[in-house]
Amino acid sequence: MTTISLRKGNTRLPPEVNRVLYVRNLPFNITSEEMYDIFGKYGAIRQIRIGTNKDTRGTAFVVYEDIYDAKTAVDHLSGFNVANRYLIVLYYQQAKMSKKFDQKKKEDEIAKMQEKYGVSTKDSK
């Protein structure tokens, strides 16, 4: 098995490599069993979370037991075709995800303030 030889070697992984993968562009009707079939080929999976609400449909988090299995999955499944959709498989990065959330939160606060005080950003001519 190549993963065993990879572990024994003194291989340094890039800092973004993580056991948690963020998967985008999934078919909306994919089941967790299908996800386990696709991602389970690359190693033991601890957890899979599939997005179900309007904002998270088509995305999922896959958590592997071993970091090398996660790396192998990213290497092999990025661009993999599932139901005529090409998967985007990324390492989950907490800092980037929280920045997106904070930006959305700030935009919502600004919109509420503008509505409250009757301020419009649109030019009225």
Side-chain angles (χ1 to χ4, degrees):
M1 294 175 60
T2 41
T3 55
I4 292 173
S5 62
L6 181 63
R7 285 182 219 147
K8 287 183 180 177
N10 196 8
T11 307
R12 286 193 58 112
L13 294 173
E16 72 273 3
V17 175
N18 193 336
R19 288 183 318 121
V20 183
L21 305 182
Y22 177 61
V23 185
R24 294 176 29 207
N25 205 31
L26 286 166
F28 290 166
N29 60 350
I30 195 162
T31 65
S32 52
E33 289 80 22
E34 291 169 327
M35 290 287 290
Y36 276 101
D37 287 345
I38 294 168
F39 286 87
K41 294 176 186 173
Y42 300 100
I45 294 174
R46 179 174 288 184
Q47 183 181 64
I48 291 181
R49 295 271 177 125
I50 299 174
T52 55
N53 69 7
K54 188 179 79 134
D55 296 337
T56 60
R57 283 185 9 179
T59 64
F61 289 98
V62 179
V63 182
Y64 278 93
E65 293 287 342
D66 186 63
I67 195 167
Y68 291 99
D69 295 339
K71 183 180 182 334
T72 306
V74 169
D75 293 344
H76 288 92
L77 291 176
S78 290
F80 186 72
N81 190 334
V82 177
N84 294 324
R85 299 181 72 115
Y86 293 98
L87 297 184
I88 300 169
V89 184
L90 307 166
Y91 296 107
Y92 173 70
Q93 295 175 339
Q94 176 65 37
K96 285 187 178 182
M97 295 300 253
S98 63
K99 280 183 185 177
K100 286 181 184 177
F101 180 73
D102 289 344
Q103 182 67 26
K104 175 88 171 110
K105 197 174 177 181
K106 286 178 185 176
E107 288 172 2
D108 290 345
E109 284 179 25
I110 290 171
K112 285 179 185 176
M113 294 288 278
Q114 287 175 338
E115 188 177 309
K116 181 178 178 180
Y117 294 107
V119 177
S120 176
T121 57
K122 297 181 182 95
D123 294 331
S124 53
K125 289 186 178 182

